């Protein structure tokens, strides 16, 4: 019988093939609720990538926006919707055209770092990733990753 | 409509504002906004921009409420920026805002229902400065299209520079970006110019481009941008335009010297009386352009 390091879930979402060590960042980006039942596996063996992280969230189905929000840290992750212990739908992660409220603007003079408002970035280029802050209008690449510990 | 950034103003909008500024200057149009009240909210100190807007609105017959620095407002008493803005927006027909915070004007436009004009947000944008610069170029050169423009000085931190570059780029100009190495324009702006197909040259020597260009736009190099006094002193004089320098060159016939002001020592005062010196006229054009902006946004034309 197949041994599971992370228990199967009856109904909910599995995010597999997260790069090792990035699972907590994914949780951060998804904003896990207090009531969510979550199982986490980190540094598990993966025939495809060597090592990987996994998250299984019971009774929660992610919106496309939520799925795409993790594209910045886990672009090759696979998303499966589970019903009655069986995967019934797989979703692909795509970098969205805009990123709202999920990242901090690296420019400390930006209004989003001075007022209580959600950030908004327009994706200018997907590979390598370049985004423009809709408020301070600056374009960020690597700085965005550093500032957000991605 | 709001005026927030030169990136989001179309070429057609710029052209109609220039046409309207011209009509206002030459009195071929009569605009009256005597029933309108505009708040000038200057969270960062300003003399000339605040005066320029104040003059523009009053010359159209309108009235202004002027707040200079946050000290004089309830922000000082702990009221949030958003609450201050929303409250003022209940009293007036438009808001002109300057702030050191980048994106403050865009945020303001999102939380109020009246027109918002960005009068400078940190190192980001100063769109009415760029509009008046473009009006000055159009008046003096007959067109903005295909001009060769040198922008000199602090290209990294100057909001007037960013606004002007995005404005000029809509008119297929050729740019000469002249600055000390560490004050070069941000690399992503160069990438955007590439993407827009704009030809630009980068360098650190004024004299080599003086005879090439139609317009030279000089900006102030601020002492605080340098690591020490020595580095500043070393660079400062090589970015100074003098009468001798101008007279020794074979300049283009319509060569135009511009500066957003205030000037410190980037252009010596003996240049002021030369026909190419256009910076005070430029400041005057600012009033006509701001009249055009206010009239358009308040629906008075």
């Amino acid at each position: 019988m197949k041994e599971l390091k992370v228990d199967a879930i009856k109904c909910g979402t599995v995010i597999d093939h997260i790069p090792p060590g990035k699972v907590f960042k994914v949780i951060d980006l998804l904003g896990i609720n207090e009531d969510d039942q979550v199982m986490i596996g980190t540094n598990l063996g993966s025939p495809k990538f060597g090592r990987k992280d996994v998250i299984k969230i019971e009774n929660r189905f992610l919106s496309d926006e939520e799925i795409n929000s993790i594209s910045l840290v886990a672009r090759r992750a696979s998303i499966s919707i589970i019903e009655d212990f069986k995967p019934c739908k797989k979703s692909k992660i795509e970098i969205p055209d805009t990123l709202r409220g999920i990242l901090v603007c690296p420019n400390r003079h930006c209004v989003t770092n001075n007022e209580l408002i959600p950030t908004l970035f327009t994706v200018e280029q997907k590979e390598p990733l370049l985004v423009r802050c809709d408020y301070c209008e600056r374009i960020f690449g690597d700085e965005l990753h550093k500032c957000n510990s991605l | 409509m709001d005026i927030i950034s030169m990136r989001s103003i179309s070429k057609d909008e710029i052209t109609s504002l220039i046409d309207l500024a011209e009509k206002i200057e030459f009195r071929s149009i009569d605009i009256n906004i005597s029933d309108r009240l505009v708040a000038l909210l200057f969270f960062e100190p300003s003399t000339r921009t605040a005066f320029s807007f104040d003059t523009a609105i009053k010359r159209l017959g309108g009235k202004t409420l002027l707040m200079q620095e946050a000290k004089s407002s309830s922000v000082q008493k702990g009221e949030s920026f958003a609450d201050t803005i929303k409250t003022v927006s209940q009293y007036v027909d438009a808001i002109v805002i300057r702030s050191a915070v980048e994106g403050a004007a865009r945020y303001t436009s999102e939380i109020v229902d009246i027109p918002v004009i960005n009068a400078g947000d940190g190192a980001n944008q100063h769109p009415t400065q760029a509009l008046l610069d473009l009006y000055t170029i159009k008046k003096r050169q007959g067109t903005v299209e295909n001009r060769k423009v040198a922008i000199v000085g602090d290209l990294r931190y100057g909001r007037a520079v960013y606004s002007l570059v995005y404005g000029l780029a809509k008119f297929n100009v050729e740019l000469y970006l002249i600055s000390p190495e560490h004050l070069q324009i941000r690399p992503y702006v160069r990438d955007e110019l590439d993407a827009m197909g704009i030809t630009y040259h980068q360098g650190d020597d004024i004299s080599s481009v003086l005879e090439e260009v139609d317009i030279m736009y000089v900006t102030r190099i601020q002492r605080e941008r340098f690591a020490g006094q020595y580095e500043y002193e070393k660079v400062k004089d090589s970015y100074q335009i003098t009468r001798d320098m101008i007279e020794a060159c074979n300049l283009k016939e319509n060569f135009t010297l511009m500066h957003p002001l205030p000037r410190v020592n980037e252009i010596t005062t003996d240049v002021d009386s030369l026909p190419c010196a256009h910076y005070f006229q430029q400041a005057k054009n600012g009033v006509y352009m701001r009249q055009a902006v206010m009239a358009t946004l308040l629906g008075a034309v």
Side-chain angles (χ1 to χ4, degrees):
Chain A
M1 193 182 143
K2 200 169 153 191
E3 186 192 342
L4 291 172
K5 288 208 170 82
V6 181
D7 276 352
I9 55 172
K10 184 178 179 199
C11 179
T13 306
V14 173
I15 309 170
D16 201 355
H17 301 117
I18 299 168
K22 295 291 186 191
V23 70
F24 296 104
K25 196 67 211 176
V26 171
I27 286 177
D28 225 21
L29 290 170
L30 290 178
I32 297 297
N33 303 320
E34 266 180 35
D35 300 334
D36 286 337
Q37 289 179 37
V38 182
M39 278 171 282
I40 292 167
T42 186
N43 282 319
L44 306 177
S46 159
K48 224 167 158 186
F49 301 114
R51 298 214 162 265
K52 66 172 186 181
D53 288 2
V54 177
I55 303 177
K56 299 186 179 190
I57 313 169
E58 191 86 49
N59 293 323
R60 181 164 166 195
F61 302 96
L62 302 174
S63 66
D64 286 349
E65 197 173 294
E66 285 174 313
I67 290 170
N68 290 339
S69 75
I70 65 172
S71 61
L72 299 172
V73 290
R75 198 163 309 172
R76 291 188 298 182
S78 50
I79 316 269
S80 305
I81 306 298
I82 309 292
E83 272 173 23
D84 204 15
F85 295 104
K86 285 185 198 128
C88 66
K89 188 186 156 201
K90 288 198 181 279
S91 301
K92 241 178 102 181
I93 294 184
E94 278 176 40
I95 296 176
D97 295 332
T98 56
L99 299 158
R100 186 183 291 276
I102 53 173
L103 295 168
V104 172
C105 179
N107 173 12
R108 65 190 169 92
H109 300 296
C110 178
V111 69
T112 58
N113 289 317
N114 290 273
E115 295 293 319
L116 287 172
I117 48 172
T119 56
L120 179 60
F121 294 93
T122 301
V123 175
E124 298 271 326
Q125 183 182 291
K126 295 191 175 177
E127 195 67 56
L129 185 71
L130 286 179
V131 301
R132 183 194 293 279
C133 171
D134 274 39
Y135 289 95
C136 71
E137 303 188 21
R138 292 202 197 180
I139 292 185
F140 302 102
D142 290 347
E143 285 162 285
L144 188 79
H145 285 80
K146 278 181 212 147
C147 171
N148 287 277
S149 315
L150 297 176
Chain B
M1 186 189 172
D2 304 302
I3 300 277
I4 305 296
S5 163
M6 288 308 284
R7 289 186 50 252
S8 45
I9 302 174
S10 70
K11 186 177 173 179
D12 283 351
E13 287 168 335
I14 296 172
T15 308
S16 22
L17 285 169
I18 288 175
D19 290 347
L20 182 56
E22 200 165 18
K23 284 183 191 153
I24 291 169
E25 177 171 2
F26 296 101
R27 296 173 190 272
S28 63
I29 191 168
D30 193 26
I31 300 166
N32 187 328
I33 56 164
S34 57
D35 56 343
R36 306 300 177 89
L37 179 60
V38 179
L40 308 176
L41 305 181
F42 281 72
F43 291 89
E44 190 186 58
S46 157
T47 316
R48 62 201 68 236
T49 305
F51 278 12
S52 179
F53 272 107
D54 204 23
T55 307
I57 294 158
K58 286 173 176 161
R59 285 207 181 268
L60 294 175
K63 296 172 187 68
T64 57
L65 286 178
L66 177 60
M67 185 203 82
Q68 285 271 26
E69 297 187 62
K71 257 191 294 203
S72 60
S73 82
S74 46
V75 170
Q76 196 67 11
K77 296 174 194 160
E79 189 185 39
S80 77
F81 172 80
D83 281 6
T84 303
I85 297 289
K86 282 183 198 161
T87 307
V88 173
S89 77
Q90 309 301 315
Y91 308 152
V92 297
D93 301 295
I95 287 178
V96 174
I97 180 170
R98 166 168 292 188
S99 169
V101 177
E102 293 166 24
R106 185 169 302 279
Y107 175 50
T108 300
S109 72
E110 289 173 356
I111 59 174
V112 302
D113 298 324
I114 54 175
V116 174
I117 296 125
N118 183 4
D121 60 332
N124 182 32
Q125 283 273 327
H126 191 1
T128 58
Q129 177 69 51
L131 289 168
L132 77 88
D133 295 338
L134 294 171
Y135 178 43
T136 303
I137 293 171
K138 161 74 173 27
K139 252 173 78 178
R140 169 86 174 173
Q141 304 268 335
T143 178
V144 186
E145 299 282 349
N146 304 314
R147 298 294 88 190
K148 291 186 173 189
V149 186
I151 308 180
V152 175
D154 178 356
L155 308 187
R156 188 165 187 85
Y157 299 99
R159 55 190 166 206
V161 169
Y162 285 97
S163 299
L164 182 60
V165 165
Y166 287 118
L168 286 170
K170 297 177 203 280
F171 292 87
N172 196 32
V173 296
E174 186 169 340
L175 290 173
Y176 295 74
L177 305 169
I178 311 296
S179 70
E181 201 183 339
H182 77 288
L183 294 178
Q184 284 176 352
I185 206 156
R186 295 193 180 100
Y188 67 74
V189 180
R190 295 200 300 265
D191 294 342
E192 287 184 283
L193 290 174
D194 284 333
M196 288 186 271
I198 298 295
T199 306
Y200 65 88
H201 316 270
Q202 224 173 347
D204 59 4
D205 179 28
I206 295 176
S207 54
S208 64
V209 301
L210 260 172
E211 296 184 359
E212 294 279 319
V213 299
D214 302 295
I215 295 121
M216 180 165 277
Y217 191 97
V218 183
T219 65
R220 189 156 55 105
I221 293 185
Q222 289 170 290
R223 196 176 300 242
E224 56 266 32
R225 304 289 183 216
F226 290 81
Q229 184 70 16
Y230 172 71
E231 283 84 356
Y232 171 68
E233 293 295 334
K234 206 169 57 176
V235 157
K236 151 184 106 150
D237 289 344
S238 55
Y239 288 86
Q240 190 175 54
I241 314 272
T242 63
R243 192 180 182 109
D244 289 347
M245 195 192 251
I246 300 258
E247 285 178 342
C249 286
N250 184 19
L251 298 170
K252 288 200 175 182
E253 198 189 331
N254 240 353
F255 175 79
T256 310
L257 190 60
M258 295 170 67
H259 191 303
L261 305 177
R263 150 182 70 174
V264 182
N265 51 16
E266 308 82 53
I267 303 174
T268 55
T269 51
D270 57 3
V271 175
D272 297 359
S273 56
L274 293 174
C276 67
H278 234 64
Y279 24 94
F280 293 113
Q281 181 64 45
Q282 188 184 346
K284 188 175 181 181
N285 292 339
V287 174
Y288 302 127
M289 179 46 84
R290 289 180 175 120
Q291 283 179 278
V293 166
M294 294 314 311
T296 304
L297 266 58
L298 289 169
V301 279

